[in-house]
Amino acid sequence: MTDETEADLTGVEPPRRPRAELGKIAGRKLKPATMMMGHGYDPVLSEGSLKPPIFLTSTFVFPSAAAGKRHFEGVTGKRPGGAEGLVYSRFNGPNQEILEDRLSVWEEAEDALAFSSGMSAIATLFLAMVGPGDTIVHSGPLYAATETLIAKLLGKYGVKWLDFPAGATRAEIDAVMEKAKAQGKVALIYLESPANPTNALVDIEAVAASRDAIFGEDKPPIAIDNTFLGPLWQQPLRHGADIVVYSLTKYAGGHSDLVAGGVLGSAAHINTIRSTRNTIGTICDPNTAWMLLRSLETLELRMSRAGENAAKVCAFLDQHPKVERVGYLGFLEAQGDARQADIYRRHCLGAGSTFSLFLKGGEAESFAFLDALKIAKLAVSLGGTETLASHPAGMTHLSVPEERKKALGITDNLVRISIGVEDADDLVADFDQALNAI
Ligand SMILES: *Cc1c(COP(=O)(O)O)cnc(C)c1O
């Protein structure tokens, strides 16, 4: 095909949604909460439908053979930036693309990708970035399935790893980076902050400074799982991270009714990850993408309300005689944890609404409390409109060896709570009666 032939076909291209909308009105830069209602979608393209239709199709009709070739050049990575047209639903689709545009907005990321789960996002990131013999340097603890993915699955293919504890200082991080560098190529630095289930924060700025000092020009990217505080309360791209990972199942989805993941970052990194996603098909489906578009419209409302509720509930729990300690980011300063409080001040815009409650007692007391809750539901997961409570030692972290549990502070008197958007006083009354039932 020649360029002249392609130029002749412009009149028959199907209209495309507005991808590079700037989000400005009369010079005013619009806020994410405003942009969630319309960014990346033009009703004119769908018979005036206010909301985007759900595009249930496996494939898309090319306007011409030349256009098909051009689109495949984008899909296969011959030309960076992804396909400029719609091709096949393993690669892209209107709902997923609108979602990706809107996900980018919150953190002013250059680009974003949607995935079928948080874990499929993380696995695709690793497959795209890491090869046999490479080392992943990571913070610890990580979400249990991420630890399994690195140590067990990638380990099978000769990938090595080294970790440092979440609160590590610059000197401690430097020591681990030096050790990793000495054993070969460091392909990726992977963080999770706050860490699950301890809420320990990672000093992203110190990690970036250490990486820059130790690796110079040939530096590995820094990726971070920002599921617990993002995108409202922590924006790691502003603190030196290159790639941000989400379980969109949690706060972004926010209604405990879907499973999905996201990755944001620079166009170059996203292009690399997109090629891997195109190959293995870890994109989310159109219905899930549509549900997430609905969820993002209320993301700020939900996270703000849940954050206010958590502050009230934690203030109540903190002074209750049956409570030993509340592991809530808003209390770091008051509890005298200078290192964590310093990281919090520099990185976080709010304390979020997922925290740890340490009761006086052990498993029996924790179970009595959990069984007595009436409004809060006994379930794992977090970030939904409803308040959830669970027992990490006996549930999500049951398989973690006793020694490691001890080192991480996952004790039998630890109850994990994710606060929802209910009435705060009703929640306080529920926690009060459940504590009194112990
Ligand atoms: C839930 C979660 C994940 C995994 O996400 P899924 O959507 O369940 O695959 C990863 N990281 C963190 C911090 C999580 O809370």
Side-chain angles (χ1 to χ4, degrees):
M1 301 283 167
T2 64
D3 284 331
E4 293 83 72
T5 334
E6 285 185 30
D8 289 339
L9 294 164
T10 47
V12 292
E13 292 279 340
R16 286 284 281 151
R17 42 182 216 92
R19 272 221 95 166
E21 194 180 297
L22 286 171
K24 276 192 183 154
I25 284 179
R28 183 189 159 79
K29 195 163 175 294
L30 300 179
K31 297 280 167 36
T34 306
M35 293 181 72
M36 288 309 107
M37 287 3 135
H39 180 62
Y41 172 68
D42 182 354
V44 164
L45 300 179
S46 297
E47 309 213 27
S49 175
L50 174 65
K51 294 302 187 199
I54 303 175
F55 288 85
L56 292 178
T57 183
S58 61
T59 195
F60 296 86
V61 177
F62 299 137
S64 68
K69 182 182 174 189
R70 225 170 349 102
H71 295 350
F72 262 91
E73 284 167 357
V75 164
T76 54
K78 273 197 156 149
R79 201 165 13 79
E84 55 189 77
L86 297 163
V87 177
Y88 179 68
S89 293
R90 198 179 79 234
F91 307 140
N92 58 11
N95 299 105
Q96 294 93 329
E97 287 190 354
I98 299 166
L99 170 62
E100 288 162 358
D101 284 358
R102 290 191 196 169
L103 281 177
S104 307
V105 164
W106 294 89
E107 294 167 76
E108 296 184 330
E110 280 177 18
D111 210 347
L113 295 169
F115 290 88
S116 56
S117 71
M119 284 317 302
S120 78
I122 295 166
T124 307
L125 164 74
F126 288 167
L127 282 177
M129 297 281 173
V130 181
D134 292 352
T135 299
I136 297 174
V137 173
H138 71 82
S139 62
L142 298 176
Y143 184 73
T146 310
E147 293 217 2
T148 305
L149 176 58
I150 293 174
K152 300 234 172 87
L153 272 168
L154 294 181
K156 278 204 307 198
Y157 304 101
V159 174
K160 297 174 280 191
W161 57 269
L162 280 176
D163 67 340
F164 56 84
T169 61
R170 171 69 195 275
E172 291 163 341
I173 297 164
D174 278 352
V176 175
M177 294 275 194
E178 293 282 12
K179 194 172 163 197
K181 190 183 175 189
Q183 72 178 30
K185 181 182 166 191
V186 176
L188 184 67
I189 297 163
Y190 186 84
L191 315 175
E192 183 176 309
S193 181
N196 184 11
T198 57
N199 259 14
L201 296 168
V202 177
D203 191 338
I204 306 165
E205 291 171 356
V207 171
S210 170
R211 186 266 318 257
D212 292 352
I214 288 166
F215 293 94
E217 280 306 290
D218 191 25
K219 52 191 183 189
I222 298 170
I224 176 167
D225 185 333
N226 196 36
T227 298
F228 274 66
L229 287 182
L232 228 61
W233 310 125
Q234 180 171 258
Q235 306 196 331
L237 297 179
R238 302 188 204 283
H239 301 281
D242 303 293
I243 299 162
V244 177
V245 177
Y246 283 106
S247 168
L248 300 177
T249 312
K250 313 296 166 54
Y251 286 98
H255 296 72
S256 307
D257 56 5
L258 62 84
V259 172
V263 174
L264 335 175
S266 71
H269 289 312
I270 293 297
N271 281 336
T272 306
I273 301 161
R274 182 190 286 110
S275 295
T276 302
R277 189 190 69 174
N278 284 348
T279 303
I280 64 179
T282 40
I283 191 170
C284 79
D285 66 275
N287 190 68
T288 300
W290 189 95
M291 302 255 287
L292 279 161
L293 290 175
R294 160 177 282 202
S295 292
L296 288 178
E297 295 181 4
T298 56
L299 179 70
E300 189 173 295
L301 276 178
R302 287 184 286 105
M303 288 189 80
S304 301
R305 167 68 173 237
E308 288 163 17
N309 281 356
K312 287 183 194 163
V313 167
C314 287
F316 165 78
L317 293 173
D318 195 43
Q319 49 72 50
H320 199 285
K322 297 212 170 152
V323 170
E324 185 184 282
R325 188 168 65 85
V326 183
Y328 168 61
L329 294 176
F331 292 164
L332 290 172
E333 199 105 28
Q335 289 168 345
D337 192 335
R339 172 68 182 147
Q340 285 287 304
D342 173 51
I343 300 175
Y344 179 76
R345 254 192 320 274
R346 284 185 286 115
H347 294 76
C348 305
L349 301 161
S353 45
T354 298
F355 60 91
S356 301
L357 174 64
F358 296 90
L359 297 170
K360 285 183 183 153
E363 188 185 88
E365 286 75 11
S366 298
F367 281 16
F369 170 74
L370 288 168
D371 288 339
L373 288 168
K374 292 199 161 69
I375 297 172
K377 297 289 185 292
L378 177 50
V380 298
S381 198
L382 58 118
T385 46
E386 64 285 290
T387 295
L388 300 182
S390 66
H391 187 255
M395 296 167 191
T396 45
H397 293 68
L398 185 66
S399 61
V400 176
E402 287 306 319
E403 276 306 294
R404 181 133 173 94
K405 260 193 234 180
K406 220 170 164 185
L408 295 175
I410 305 171
T411 47
D412 282 334
N413 66 334
L414 162 62
V415 171
R416 199 66 175 143
I417 296 172
S418 164
I419 296 290
V421 300
E422 303 94 336
D423 179 83
D425 295 332
D426 287 347
L427 291 175
V428 165
D430 191 26
F431 288 122
D432 191 28
Q433 65 82 24
L435 284 168
N436 294 332
I438 296 174

